[in-house]
């Protein structure tokens, strides 16, 4: 069983976790798609600040053009995701420690938004996980 199966089978509560897997994003996306989930990949290798995180999140979540470019807009969008319906959601955030090293306040806000989304989606009966690699 892969490390992602623990998430896909909801053997742990939705939330934000360190994720030690070395699987490629494409492999993880395919594995999630097999069970009707949507996996979003955040490449944190070049994320050093709030603006960088917001831009990467917009790309990763394939956000519609109308979504704003601030924390509030990101939070609203992640708690909506109507443009990408799925049985469950997982975010794999690679090199997450990069933002934490350069802008700890932005990193804390990003993690808080992801954690709040996990709680909100759980109330809707849909799982949402944020999996941090390199944190």
């Amino acid at each position: 069983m892969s490390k992602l199966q623990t998430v896909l089978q909801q053997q742990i509560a939705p939330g934000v976790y360190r994720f030690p897997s070395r699987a490629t994003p494409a492999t993880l996306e395919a594995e999630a798609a097999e069970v009707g989930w949507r996996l979003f990949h955040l490449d944190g290798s070049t994320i050093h600040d709030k603006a960088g995180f917001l831009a990467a999140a917009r790309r990763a979540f394939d956000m519609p053009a109308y979504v704003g470019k601030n924390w509030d807009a990101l939070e609203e969008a992640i708690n909506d995701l109507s443009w990408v319906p799925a049985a469950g959601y997982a975010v794999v955030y690679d090199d997450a420690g990069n933002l934490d090293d350069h802008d700890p306040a932005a990193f804390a806000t990003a993690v808080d938004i992801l954690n709040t989304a996990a709680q909100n989606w759980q109330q809707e009966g849909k799982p949402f996980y944020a999996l941090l690699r390199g944190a």
Side-chain angles (χ1 to χ4, degrees):
M1 177 188 318
S2 77
K3 290 178 175 35
L4 187 60
Q5 287 301 313
T6 302
V7 169
L8 298 175
Q9 295 174 5
Q10 301 177 57
Q11 295 175 0
I12 56 175
V16 178
Y17 296 96
R18 291 178 190 248
F19 187 58
S21 170
R22 286 193 252 173
T24 66
T27 297
L28 296 171
E29 287 172 9
E31 194 173 344
E34 284 179 15
V35 294
W37 282 46
R38 179 66 188 256
L39 187 131
F40 305 99
H41 177 243
L42 260 171
D43 178 3
S45 63
T46 60
I47 300 174
H48 298 109
D49 56 18
K50 173 185 174 181
F53 182 86
L54 292 171
R58 289 179 63 78
R59 286 188 302 275
F61 287 93
D62 195 23
M63 292 183 185
Y66 63 80
V67 175
K69 298 177 182 175
N70 57 50
W71 290 126
D72 289 339
L74 173 67
E75 186 167 22
E76 287 177 24
I78 289 178
N79 285 286
D80 176 3
L81 299 177
S82 58
W83 62 94
V84 283
Y89 299 103
V91 180
V92 173
Y93 179 7
D94 281 331
D95 296 316
N98 201 23
L99 178 59
D100 193 24
D101 290 344
H102 290 90
D103 191 343
F107 179 76
T109 300
V111 169
D112 184 56
I113 288 170
L114 293 168
N115 194 48
T116 298
Q119 293 169 12
N120 291 341
W121 279 109
Q122 189 171 19
Q123 291 174 358
E124 298 294 321
K126 195 167 283 202
F128 182 102
Y129 293 83
L131 308 170
L132 282 54
R133 299 199 286 191

